[in-house]
Amino acid sequence: MTDGFMGPPWQMDWRLDALAVLEALPAHVRDRVYAARAELVTAKDPYFRGVEADADLPDGMWVQPVRSSEPHGARALFFDDGCGWLKYTFVPRSEDPQITAEQLFWQGFEQDEAPPAEE
């Protein structure tokens, strides 16, 4: 325990069902999820509050509240240009702040199932 507010990198815990989805994803998608996770746990404010607060995220990633009526509620971190999202909450306790990954979703195509290129 520390005497003051802890900062990044934040601790991150996964619900078992979200972790099962992560483990079932293709390897290239898991890499994208890990990249999104790395951005999340190192962010100064994991809720990305304010105008253009998520401007430092890589292209194809952005964060928004799950419900606009709950500004301190769950957030969705979109990755892979919106083909996937990670729903999470952040508990900013002074002694043990933590991010909890509640749900993971990805809908895309396998690399070998890519649509045919236009000729």
Side-chain angles (χ1 to χ4, degrees), residues 1-58:
M1 307 248 184
T2 64
D3 294 333
F5 185 73
M6 296 173 63
W10 306 106
Q11 295 179 40
M12 187 166 181
D13 196 14
W14 291 76
R15 282 182 39 143
L16 292 178
D17 51 348
L19 189 58
V21 171
L22 174 65
E23 292 171 351
L25 290 173
H28 70 281
V29 179
R30 273 195 313 268
D31 291 342
R32 291 181 185 143
V33 173
Y34 293 145
R37 178 197 175 278
E39 293 293 334
L40 188 58
V41 300
T42 59
K44 182 178 178 182
D45 178 6
Y47 269 177
F48 295 93
R49 290 174 265 237
V51 177
E52 294 294 321
D54 59 358
D56 292 336
L57 289 174

Side-chain angles (χ1 to χ4, degrees), residues 45-118:
D45 178 6
Y47 269 177
F48 295 93
R49 290 174 265 237
V51 177
E52 294 294 321
D54 59 358
D56 292 336
L57 289 174
D59 290 339
M61 283 187 205
W62 67 92
V63 175
Q64 65 187 54
V66 171
R67 296 181 63 177
S68 62
S69 61
E70 295 180 15
H72 298 289
R75 292 289 197 269
L77 170 63
F78 293 90
F79 63 93
D80 196 16
D81 293 315
C83 290
W85 48 262
L86 172 68
K87 179 181 163 191
Y88 69 94
T89 55
F90 176 61
V91 181
R93 299 180 290 241
S94 62
E95 291 187 4
D96 189 23
Q98 179 174 330
I99 297 169
T100 302
E102 296 180 349
Q103 199 171 34
L104 177 64
F105 175 81
W106 180 76
Q107 180 174 356
F109 53 86
E110 296 294 329
Q111 289 178 336
D112 57 344
E113 296 176 9
E118 292 184 31

